[in-house]
Amino acid sequence: MDIKDNTFARQFETTVDEGLVSVEYSFQEKKIFLTKINVPESYEDEEFISNFLKNIMEIAIERKFKVVPILPKIVVFFKKNPVYKELLPPGIRL
């Protein structure tokens, strides 16, 4: 999966046949706040979205960022993938 970190738009992006899939973020100190998932209209491939989020978690690991899930869908991702809970900052409970 080819992921672009579009720092100007503050989002991670990848393309699918239907169009652009992106996860919006903001930074504060060494934390990345994942705020919104954008998908093309009628796009419902949850497995692809999960794999996209896994790739974003790997980027966070590489860059030594803590991840703050703002969006409920991303909170569910963390609950389903406890291996990434180490990326949560101290005090964040899901």
Side-chain angles (χ1 to χ4, degrees):
M1 179 181 301
D2 185 34
I3 296 177
K4 177 184 177 193
D5 182 0
N6 183 339
T7 55
F8 181 74
R10 293 180 309 189
Q11 64 186 15
F12 293 104
E13 305 171 341
T14 192
T15 53
V16 293
D17 292 339
E18 294 84 351
L20 185 71
V21 176
S22 65
V23 174
E24 294 179 16
Y25 63 78
S26 63
F27 281 113
Q28 185 178 13
E29 296 165 5
K30 291 287 277 180
K31 297 181 194 120
I32 184 167
F33 293 75
L34 301 179
T35 57
K36 187 174 180 186
I37 298 174
N38 300 304
V39 296
E41 201 171 305
S42 77
Y43 186 77
E44 296 181 14
D45 189 343
E46 293 299 321
E47 186 175 335
F48 182 85
I49 299 298
S50 180
N51 286 332
F52 185 37
L53 289 171
K54 286 177 183 176
N55 280 278
I56 291 171
M57 297 307 132
E58 294 303 320
I59 292 169
I61 290 168
E62 276 179 29
R63 298 180 183 177
K64 296 180 174 42
F65 291 138
K66 292 294 185 182
V67 177
V68 181
I70 302 298
L71 191 66
K73 191 175 211 171
I74 297 175
V75 171
V76 169
F77 168 82
F78 271 95
K79 288 180 178 179
K80 288 182 178 178
N81 299 278
V83 67
Y84 296 114
K85 284 193 177 180
E86 67 190 37
L87 291 174
L88 297 171
I92 300 282
R93 296 187 194 275
L94 302 180

